[in-house]
C-alpha cells in the first residue's frame, strides 16, 4: 500500500488557510491516525470537517481539527484585539423568542441560541424544530440583527440550498429504468474532490465581484473547478416520486404522482473560504466573550462588512447556478424538461423588515425562508419523505421554517451505533437504491421528519411530498 501523502496545497483546495495552524494540525492528525487509508478518503473526510466541523465535536480524534478550524488564528486575533471586550446583554434583557418542537431539541442547541440572543445587535430570534448544536448560532437558529452580518450566523456552506425539478413522466419509469437512472446519476454528478472537466467557464464567473473583491478574485479558479459539483456530508442528488396533494399548489400541477429530481448542496470550497476569511476579520474587529466568540459580526457600514455582503450574495448565486447545471445535465440524460421547479436556500442572510417596521438582517443558519406564499422544499432523510411547502409568513418564526429533519445524533455516534447491515436493511425496507453514502448518514441518525413537520404546522402549508428512490451521495 502506498504511503499516505498530504500536502498544504491539497488542504488549500478544501478551504484550509495556507500556512495556518489548522492545516498543520490536520496533516499531523491524518498522518498519525489515518495513514493506512487512501488519500481520496482522507481528503473527503477533511473536507467534511471544513464544511460541518460541528458534526465532529464529539469525535475523540477529529474534534481537535474541528475546534481549531472554527477558531482560526485565535491567539493572533486576541493579540491584535487591543480594544475592550464587547459585553453581552444580561440574560434577563434578551428578547423572548419562539422555539418550535422544543421537546425534540437538545439542551446544548438551546443554550447556544440563548447566547446568540444576548448579542447587543440582535433584535429578534427563533429556533426551528430541526435544531441541533453548531458553532456560534445553532443549526436551525434564526436571528435578526441591526445593520450587521455575522459570518458564522450564515454558516460555512454559504447559500446551501434545495432544488427540485418535477417531470411529466409516470413514476413507474423509475421501476422500469432504475439501472439507467443510476448510471445517469453516476455519470452526471461529482461529489467532494472530484471535479468535472469543463471547457467553457460558467456565466456566474463573469460577475464583477470576481474582479473587484480581492478575496473573491483569488477564489475564481476554485469556483471554476468545482462548478456543477456537490459537497460531501449530507449533500445529495436523487431521483424520486413527487406526490402533489394540494389542488391549489401554485405550481400549476394536477394532484397526482410525478417523477422528480432533488438536489442539496451549497457553494463548495468557494463559499467556505469566504466564510473563514471574513470570520477572521470579524473576530479582529469585534471582540466578544469566549462563549460568543464565534458570533463576531461585521457592520455593514464598514468596507469588510460590505465586501462580505457582496461575496455572500455571490456565493448564494453560485450555489444556485451549480444546482441548475446539475439539473440541466440530468434532464438532458433523461431526455425531458421539467414542468415545474421549486428551490430555496438556507445558510444565508437577507435584508427584511420586522412586524414593527424595523429593517434588519435576518440570518437563517439551517432554516428555510417561509414568507407568505413562498415555496420551498424540506427534506427528510435518504429513506424518509421530504415536503413541498408554502410559507404562511408567521412573524413569530421570522418568516422561517426548518430546513430538514435535523440530526439527532452526531456522525461519530451514528458510526458507533449502526453497521452496514443496519443501513442495508433500512434501504431495503424503503425500496431505496443508494450510491455512495456512509453510516454517518444512516436514516436513524435523523429526527422523525413527521414530528418536525407537525411542530411547524403554523409556519407552512404542505403542497406535496417527495419520496427518494435512487440516492447519490459522496464516497
Amino acid at each position: 500500500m502506498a504511503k499516505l501523502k498530504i500536502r498544504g496545497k491539497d488542504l488549500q483546495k478544501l478551504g484550509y488557510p495556507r500556512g495556518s495552524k489548522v492545516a498543520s494540525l490536520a496533516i499531523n492528525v491524518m498522518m498519525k491516525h489515518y495513514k493506512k487509508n487512501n488519500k481520496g478518503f482522507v481528503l473527503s473526510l477533511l473536507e467534511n470537517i471544513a464544511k460541518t466541523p460541528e458534526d465532529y465535536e464529539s469525535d475523540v480524534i477529529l474534534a481537535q481539527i474541528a475546534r481549531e478550524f472554527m477558531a482560526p488564528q485565535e491567539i493572533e486575533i486576541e493579540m491584535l484585539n487591543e480594544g475592550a471586550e464587547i459585553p453581552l446583554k444580561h440574560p434577563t434583557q434578551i428578547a423572548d423568542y419562539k422555539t418550535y418542537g422544543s421537546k425534540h431539541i437538545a439542551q446544548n442547541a438551546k443554550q447556544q441560541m440563548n447566547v446568540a440572543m444576548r448579542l447587543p445587535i440582535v433584535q429578534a430570534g427563533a429556533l426551528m424544530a430541526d435544531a441541533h448544536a453548531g458553532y456560534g448560532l445553532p443549526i436551525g437558529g434564526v436571528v435578526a440583527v441591526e445593520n450587521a452580518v455575522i459570518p458564522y450566523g450564515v454558516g460555512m456552506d454559504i447559500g446551501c440550498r434545495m432544488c427540485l425539478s418535477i417531470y411529466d413522466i409516470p413514476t413507474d419509469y423509475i421501476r422500469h429504468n432504475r439501472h439507467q437512472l443510476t448510471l445517469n446519476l453516476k455519470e452526471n454528478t461529482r461529489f467532494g474532490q472530484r471535479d468535472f472537466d469543463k471547457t467553457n467557464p460558467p456565466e456566474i464567473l463573469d460577475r464583477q465581484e470576481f474582479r473587484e473583491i480581492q478575496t473573491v478574485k483569488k477564489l475564481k479558479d476554485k469556483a471554476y473547478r468545482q462548478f456543477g459539483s456537490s459537497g460531501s456530508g449530507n449533500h445529495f442528488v436523487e431521483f424520486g416520486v413527487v406526490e402533489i396533494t394540494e389542488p391549489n399548489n401554485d405550481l400549476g400541477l394536477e394532484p397526482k404522482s410525478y417523477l422528480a429530481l432533488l438536489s442539496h448542496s451549497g457553494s463548495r470550497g468557494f463559499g467556505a473560504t469566504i466564510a473563514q476569511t471574513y470570520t477572521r476579520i470579524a473576530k479582529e474587529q469585534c471582540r466578544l466573550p469566549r462563549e460568543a466568540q464565534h458570533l463576531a459580526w461585521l457592520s455593514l457600514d464598514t468596507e469588510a462588512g460590505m465586501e462580505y455582503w457582496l461575496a455572500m450574495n455571490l456565493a448564494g448565486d453560485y450555489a444556485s447556478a451549480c444546482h441548475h447545471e446539475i439539473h440541466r445535465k440530468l434532464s438532458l440524460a433523461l431526455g425531458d424538461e421539467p414542468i415545474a421547479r421549486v428551490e430555496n436556500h438556507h445558510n444565508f442572510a437577507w435584508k427584511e423588515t420586522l412586524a414593527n417596521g424595523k429593517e434588519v438582517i435576518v440570518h437563517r443558519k439551517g432554516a428555510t425562508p417561509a414568507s407568505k406564499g413562498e415555496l420551498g422544499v424540506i427534506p427528510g432523510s435518504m429513506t424518509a419523505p421530504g415536503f413541498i411547502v408554502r410559507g404562511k409568513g408567521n412573524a413569530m418564526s421570522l418568516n422561517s421554517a426548518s430546513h430538514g429533519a435535523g440530526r439527532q445524533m452526531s456522525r461519530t455516534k451514528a458510526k458507533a451505533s449502526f453497521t452496514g447491515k443496519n443501513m442495508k436493511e433500512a434501504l431495503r425496507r424503503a425500496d431505496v437504491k443508494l450510491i455512495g453514502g456512509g453510516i454517518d448518514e444512516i436514516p436513524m441518525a435523523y429526527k422523525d421528519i413527521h414530528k418536525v413537520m407537525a411542530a411547524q404546522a403554523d409556519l407552512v402549508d404542505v403542497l406535496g411530498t417527495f419520496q427518494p428512490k435512487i440516492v447519490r451521495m459522496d464516497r
Side-chain angles (χ1 to χ4, degrees), residues 151 234 370 431 434:
N234 64 349
D431 188 28
L434 175 64

Side-chain angles (χ1 to χ4, degrees), residues 236-440:
F236 58 76
V237 182
E238 55 195 27
F239 282 112
V241 175
V242 156
E243 182 74 32
I244 297 295
T245 55
E246 172 58 47
N248 181 23
N249 53 62
D250 295 341
L251 292 167
L253 297 179
E254 177 186 349
K256 66 174 187 177
S257 299
Y258 299 85
L259 174 70
L261 173 70
L262 180 64
S263 55
H264 171 223
S265 194
S267 51
R268 308 290 278 110
F270 171 56
T273 306
I274 290 172
Q276 288 176 299
T277 300
Y278 287 95
T279 292
R280 290 198 296 271
I281 296 172
K283 287 184 174 183
E284 292 170 7
Q285 298 182 0
C286 177
R287 186 178 176 188
L288 291 168
R290 185 173 183 81
E291 67 269 28
Q293 61 185 353
H294 297 306
L295 294 168
W297 66 82
L298 295 167
S299 169
L300 291 180
D301 292 332
T302 65
E303 182 179 1
M306 284 309 301
E307 275 190 3
Y308 174 79
W309 183 260
L310 293 171
M312 178 198 72
N313 277 278
L314 174 63
D317 292 343
Y318 173 82
S320 177
C322 285
H323 280 270
H324 292 174
E325 176 68 2
I326 292 168
H327 286 240
R328 183 191 69 81
K329 287 188 173 184
L330 284 165
S331 293
L332 190 63
L334 195 60
D336 207 340
E337 291 293 318
I339 56 174
R341 177 170 287 171
V342 181
E343 58 181 317
N344 62 269
H345 52 312
H346 42 268
N347 288 11
F348 210 69
W350 293 258
K351 288 185 178 180
E352 298 181 8
T353 303
L354 295 178
N356 62 10
K358 189 176 186 65
E359 185 180 85
V360 292
I361 307 300
V362 177
H363 298 64
R364 295 185 176 93
K365 186 178 182 183
T368 298
S371 297
K372 189 171 180 61
E374 189 167 12
L375 300 183
V377 179
I378 300 176
S381 68
M382 65 176 70
T383 58
F387 294 83
I388 304 170
V389 299
R390 179 173 57 211
K392 292 185 176 182
N394 191 316
M396 293 294 290
S397 73
L398 297 178
N399 297 324
S400 308
S402 80
H403 81 311
R407 297 191 74 94
Q408 65 178 350
M409 64 175 66
S410 69
R411 296 182 185 281
T412 302
K413 185 175 180 181
K415 288 187 286 188
S417 302
F418 300 103
T419 64
K421 184 178 180 180
N422 297 139
M423 174 75 92
K424 289 180 181 179
E425 178 58 23
L427 293 168
R428 185 195 64 77
R429 288 197 304 267
D431 188 28
V432 170
K433 165 73 174 179
L434 175 64
I435 311 163
I439 302 301
D440 53 345

Side-chain angles (χ1 to χ4, degrees), residues 92-320:
T92 60
Q93 296 176 311
I94 66 175
D96 290 335
Y97 66 91
K98 179 75 172 178
T99 298
Y100 295 87
S102 179
K103 65 181 180 180
H104 304 302
I105 300 175
Q107 189 60 31
N108 57 354
K110 296 176 182 177
Q111 290 170 343
Q112 285 186 325
M113 189 66 189
N114 288 337
V115 171
M117 292 300 295
R118 294 177 61 194
L119 295 180
I121 59 172
V122 168
Q123 304 293 309
L127 192 59
M128 300 298 102
D130 61 337
H132 54 95
Y135 275 85
L137 195 64
I139 312 302
V142 183
V143 291
V145 310
E146 186 175 7
N147 195 41
V149 64
I150 307 168
Y152 271 173
V154 169
M156 290 292 291
D157 196 6
I158 299 172
C160 190
R161 65 194 292 117
M162 308 300 305
C163 187
L164 174 71
S165 290
I166 303 173
Y167 301 87
D168 192 14
I169 297 176
T171 54
D172 62 359
Y173 183 91
I174 296 178
R175 185 172 71 255
H176 297 307
N177 297 275
R178 183 172 290 235
H179 177 68
Q180 184 58 51
L181 291 174
T182 299
L183 288 178
N184 289 349
L185 284 173
K186 288 181 177 180
E187 293 172 359
N188 293 284
T189 61
R190 297 289 185 275
F191 288 77
Q193 286 304 293
R194 293 171 289 281
D195 305 328
F196 281 113
D197 292 328
K198 291 174 283 290
T199 55
N200 298 316
E203 190 175 301
I204 188 75
L205 297 187
D206 292 333
R207 287 271 288 267
Q208 63 181 12
E209 293 93 328
F210 281 107
R211 299 187 296 274
E212 298 178 356
I213 301 175
Q214 193 62 27
T215 299
V216 174
K217 184 178 180 179
K218 294 177 181 178
L219 296 172
K220 187 171 182 177
D221 287 344
K222 177 180 288 187
Y224 173 70
R225 291 195 308 271
Q226 295 189 330
F227 181 75
S229 64
S230 303
S232 302
N234 64 349
H235 296 138
F236 58 76
V237 182
E238 55 195 27
F239 282 112
V241 175
V242 156
E243 182 74 32
I244 297 295
T245 55
E246 172 58 47
N248 181 23
N249 53 62
D250 295 341
L251 292 167
L253 297 179
E254 177 186 349
K256 66 174 187 177
S257 299
Y258 299 85
L259 174 70
L261 173 70
L262 180 64
S263 55
H264 171 223
S265 194
S267 51
R268 308 290 278 110
F270 171 56
T273 306
I274 290 172
Q276 288 176 299
T277 300
Y278 287 95
T279 292
R280 290 198 296 271
I281 296 172
K283 287 184 174 183
E284 292 170 7
Q285 298 182 0
C286 177
R287 186 178 176 188
L288 291 168
R290 185 173 183 81
E291 67 269 28
Q293 61 185 353
H294 297 306
L295 294 168
W297 66 82
L298 295 167
S299 169
L300 291 180
D301 292 332
T302 65
E303 182 179 1
M306 284 309 301
E307 275 190 3
Y308 174 79
W309 183 260
L310 293 171
M312 178 198 72
N313 277 278
L314 174 63
D317 292 343
Y318 173 82
S320 177

